[in-house]
Amino acid sequence: MNVPPGEKLTRFIRYGSHFSIEANRVKPDAFLPHKRSIDVSVFRISALNDSEELSENEIWELGQEHVQTEDRAIKARADLLASNVYDSNLELVPDEPPERHANIRSLPVDNSPANRKTRRALATKLANLSKLVIPSEEN
């Protein structure tokens, strides 16, 4: 375990279909790997070593710099604890650069029906444990 269980993480969300403002919840698709990846990309937003915890503006800036593209703006984020990942029997591995980046690993890779069902169940668990954060007008 390279990331302490108490550390805060965020998953930047670029698709409106991956969250619901009305229900104030993150949807499971937000925690499924991108089609070209087997990992789920997250950023560590707690204090690291002797650094201070990131402010809300710094968290959004991190996403704008490393995740947002011209075609896909960040619409929201899903915040959760590293312990939520570990409690789901998944790995959390630092993967820098960029600074503060990490990957959630150990989701089933092949596309068998059983593995699709397991991936969906794990994504649902992480989504249910996360907190939806919508950017303010200034972010």
Side-chain angles (χ1 to χ4, degrees):
M1 234 184 320
N2 295 322
V3 177
E7 210 171 290
K8 294 178 189 171
L9 309 171
T10 197
R11 169 84 167 150
F12 291 105
I13 301 172
R14 300 184 308 161
Y15 297 92
S17 62
H18 290 185
F19 66 98
S20 169
I21 292 176
E22 296 79 20
N24 192 33
R25 73 177 189 93
V26 176
K27 294 182 180 179
D29 284 353
F31 284 98
L32 290 174
H34 190 274
K35 293 174 186 164
R36 295 180 297 230
S37 177
I38 60 171
D39 297 330
V40 176
S41 174
V42 294
F43 280 85
R44 302 163 70 186
I45 58 174
S46 293
L48 301 178
N49 303 324
D50 293 329
S51 66
E52 293 181 19
E53 189 155 328
L54 295 179
S55 69
E56 278 296 302
N57 282 339
E58 290 170 321
I59 294 169
W60 291 111
E61 287 171 9
L62 189 66
Q64 290 165 353
E65 183 176 340
H66 299 293
V67 179
Q68 184 166 285
T69 65
E70 285 185 25
D71 297 335
R72 289 274 175 211
I74 293 172
K75 299 183 183 304
R77 63 177 216 253
D79 290 357
L80 71 161
L81 293 174
S83 61
N84 299 140
V85 174
Y86 297 132
D87 291 346
S88 300
N89 293 317
L90 296 168
E91 296 176 57
L92 186 56
V93 182
D95 184 37
E96 298 181 356
E99 186 178 8
R100 295 181 169 271
H101 184 256
N103 283 315
I104 298 173
R105 291 203 173 131
S106 299
L107 289 160
V109 177
D110 79 61
N111 217 15
S112 70
N115 281 347
R116 283 196 306 268
K117 187 175 180 179
T118 300
R119 270 196 307 270
R120 173 65 60 180
L122 289 167
T124 299
K125 183 176 183 181
L126 293 175
N128 289 341
L129 292 168
S130 65
K131 175 188 171 200
L132 178 65
V133 182
I134 303 298
S136 66
E137 291 299 318
E138 57 207 42
N139 292 327

